[in-house]
């Protein structure tokens, strides 16, 4: 009985430690640090609409498969509901994503024992929570965060001793990922590849993923009709096919650049390769295969890291598993002394604590710099002030053309400049083929808008997209009077509008 009690106390101590670490690194200033990013606005606005029973991306029908933002219904609904509970604020969606980081840490600490020692698994969990990119990206609203949890479940289930349930648990992990983003298909491909010699596990791995994907399509069809689902699937296939052709080639260069970006990734690569033998081989092989699939047509993951966050927990597990493998090998040959081996066993824990200590001042101060700060909201108070002004001068049925970084704060109909451009029949990103008029819930017609808000991200990114300048020339040529202005945001009034300003 005593050993059982001891194990329970130890498990409780591990859990409490992880919760305390998570609380310090992920909760302070969660609403504003790091600053708001455009993809967050996409997920948040769609999620809030879905929580209220409307499947839409601003002005057009959201089947969950359009290349504009193919975020899946479960993730959108959870984020939207969490934000609705918090009064329609971004803090709800961000808190859900932060909780995903804690769930991953607990999974790594206890599930990791399938392939390494308890100390190495605990160290890997602390390392994951303390790693800078984990803190940054699990404070943001990113579908990739839920995919990361699904992948971690899948490849831990496929590692270590296999049971009849292992394949189904792995499949459930993939289903979780599929309920967030189509990118989860990379995990399916990797899971089947590492299970090539176990044909009986193929169906348990694939069936939950297929059910989740089919349920998403059926949901889109139930809300809008199969015609729109197939249309969006074709558009998405064309979009990614075109993007792959443009960015293909240079896999070795992309791979090398990604894994040599800093010491963490270089260490993770080396130790994950070491973990390709023994109980951890499926996790290590799956990690490397997903990395290859990610990097074969993406050269910018060192800057736009959020897509790579799907393998960050796996890399932390790879560090612990690979190190355990080396220690086991060295101990068998008596190459290293016992004190050195003990130090190596706790090195992931020490590294994680060092990372965490470095992040504590940033978390407590609310100043968490990211590699994409240039594309984030430059002043959150200014966005809120602009939203307050617009809300005072609009009603629920008025149309405002604006970016999602402010759209979720507004109480009227909104559409961004990309939607307004494709409405005019002008090709733009990602609508290489303009959307048909019947794909819209309401017309994002710039000439019918009451106001147009020009944000920092519009000046830095949106207006550089094909066709947008042509579609917004009346605003850019100064034909719309400026009615509100801050350092980074400006509000223009449609001269044809009867909007009353104060």
């Amino acid at each position: 009985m005593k050993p059982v009690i001891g194990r329970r106390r130890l498990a409780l101590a591990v859990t409490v430690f992880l919760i305390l670490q998570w609380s310090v690194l992920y909760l302070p200033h969660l609403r504003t640090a790091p600053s708001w990013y455009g993809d967050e606005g996409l997920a948040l606005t769609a999620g809030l609409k879905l929580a209220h029973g409307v499947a839409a991306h601003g002005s057009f029908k959201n089947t969950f498969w359009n290349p504009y933002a193919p975020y899946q219904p479960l993730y959108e609904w959870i984020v939207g509901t969490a934000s609705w509970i918090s009064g329609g604020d971004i803090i709800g969606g961000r808190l859900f994503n932060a909780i995903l980081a804690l769930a991953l840490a607990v999974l790594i600490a206890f599930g990791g024992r399938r392939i390494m020692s308890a100390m190495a698994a605990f160290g890997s969990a602390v390392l994951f929570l303390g790693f800078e990119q984990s803190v940054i990206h699990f404070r943001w609203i990113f579908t990739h965060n839920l995919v990361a949890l699904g992948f971690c479940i899948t490849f831990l289930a496929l590692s270590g001793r296999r049971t009849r349930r292992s394949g189904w648990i792995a499949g459930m992990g993939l289903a979780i990922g599929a309920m967030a983003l189509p990118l989860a298909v990379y995990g399916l491909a990797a899971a089947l590849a590492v299970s090539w010699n176990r044909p009986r596990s193929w169906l348990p791995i694939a069936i939950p993923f297929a059910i989740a994907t089919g349920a998403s399509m059926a949901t889109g069809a139930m809300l809008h009709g199969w015609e729109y689902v197939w249309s969006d699937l074709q558009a998405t296939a064309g979009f990614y096919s075109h993007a792959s052709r443009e960015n293909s080639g240079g896999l070795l260069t992309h791979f090398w650049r990604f894994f040599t970006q800093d010491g963490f990734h270089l260490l993770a690569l080396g130790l994950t390769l070491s973990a390709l033998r023994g109980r951890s081989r499926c996790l290590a092989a799956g990690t490397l295969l997903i990395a290859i699939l990610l990097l074969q047509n993406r050269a910018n993951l060192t800057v736009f890291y959020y897509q790579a966050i799907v393998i960050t927990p796996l890399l932390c597990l790879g560090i612990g598993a690979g190190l355990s493998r080396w220690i086991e090998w060295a101990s068998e040959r008596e190459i290293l002394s016992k004190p050195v081996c003990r130090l190596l066993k706790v090195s992931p824990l020490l590294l994680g604590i060092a990372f965490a200590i470095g992040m504590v001042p940033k978390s407590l101060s609310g100043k968490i710099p990211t590699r994409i700060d240039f594309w984030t909201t430059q002043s959150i108070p200014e966005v809120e002030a602009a939203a307050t002004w617009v809300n005072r001068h609009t009603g629920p049925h008025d149309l405002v053309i604006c970016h999602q970084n402010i759209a979720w704060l507004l109480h009227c109909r909104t559409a961004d400049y990309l939607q307004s451009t494709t409405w005019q029949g002008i090709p733009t990103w990602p609508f290489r083929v303009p959307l048909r008029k019947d794909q819209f819930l309401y017309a994002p017609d710039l000439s019918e808008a009451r106001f147009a808000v020009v944000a920092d991200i519009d000046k830095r990114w949106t207006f550089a997209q094909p066709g947008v300048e042509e579609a917004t020339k009346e605003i850019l040529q100064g034909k719309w009077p400026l009615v509100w202005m801050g350092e980074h945001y400006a509000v223009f009034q449609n001269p044809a509008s009867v909007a009353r300003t104060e």
Side-chain angles (χ1 to χ4, degrees), residues 241-251 254 295-299:
S241 176
H242 176 76
S244 294
R245 287 195 300 271
E246 283 191 337
N247 300 300
S248 62
L251 171 60
H254 299 168
L295 292 165
Q296 51 91 20
N297 62 358
R298 293 173 176 84

Side-chain angles (χ1 to χ4, degrees), residues 2 15 27 43 66 72 84 103 119 181 233 248 271 275 324 341 343 346 352 356-357 399 429 454 456 459 465 487 495:
K2 289 184 178 179
T15 303
L27 296 185
N66 191 280
Q72 298 300 288
W84 172 74
M119 176 56 71
L181 197 65
L233 282 169
S248 62
L271 290 176
S324 294
C341 286
L343 179 61
V346 299
I357 291 173
L399 174 65
W429 186 97
V454 176
D456 39 29
K459 291 179 280 189
Q465 302 313 303
E487 183 180 355

Side-chain angles (χ1 to χ4, degrees), residues 164-231:
R164 290 184 176 181
R165 295 189 303 169
S166 297
W168 289 108
I169 295 173
M172 289 303 298
L174 293 173
I176 289 173
M179 289 185 281
L181 197 65
L183 179 70
V185 72
Y186 288 171
L188 174 64
L192 292 174
V194 302
S195 303
W196 64 272
N197 59 339
R198 293 177 178 268
R200 290 184 179 180
S201 68
W202 295 350
L203 285 179
I205 289 172
I207 286 175
F209 177 90
I211 291 174
T213 302
S216 168
M217 294 181 184
T219 301
M222 179 181 66
L223 294 171
H224 298 303
W226 281 109
E227 177 187 358
Y228 297 103
V229 173
W230 296 131
S231 175

Side-chain angles (χ1 to χ4, degrees), residues 405-429:
N405 282 351
I406 189 174
W408 66 269
L409 288 163
L410 302 183
H411 304 150
C412 58
R413 296 186 303 169
T414 63
D416 65 18
Y417 291 98
L418 299 171
Q419 294 175 32
S420 182
T421 299
T422 193
W423 170 263
Q424 297 178 47
I426 303 172
T428 188
W429 186 97

Side-chain angles (χ1 to χ4, degrees), residues 265-325:
H265 290 87
L266 189 58
L267 177 67
L269 175 62
L271 290 176
T272 299
L273 288 170
S274 301
L276 283 170
R277 295 185 61 189
R279 293 177 296 169
S280 59
R281 61 183 180 275
C282 285
L283 179 135
T287 303
L288 294 172
L289 286 171
I290 295 172
I292 290 171
L293 291 170
L294 280 172
L295 292 165
Q296 51 91 20
N297 62 358
R298 293 173 176 84
N300 63 351
L301 290 194
T302 54
V303 179
F304 295 92
Y305 191 91
Y306 58 87
Q307 296 178 81
I309 206 70
V310 300
I311 60 170
T312 301
L314 300 180
L315 292 175
C316 292
L317 281 165
I319 288 175
L323 193 59
S324 294
R325 182 73 182 167

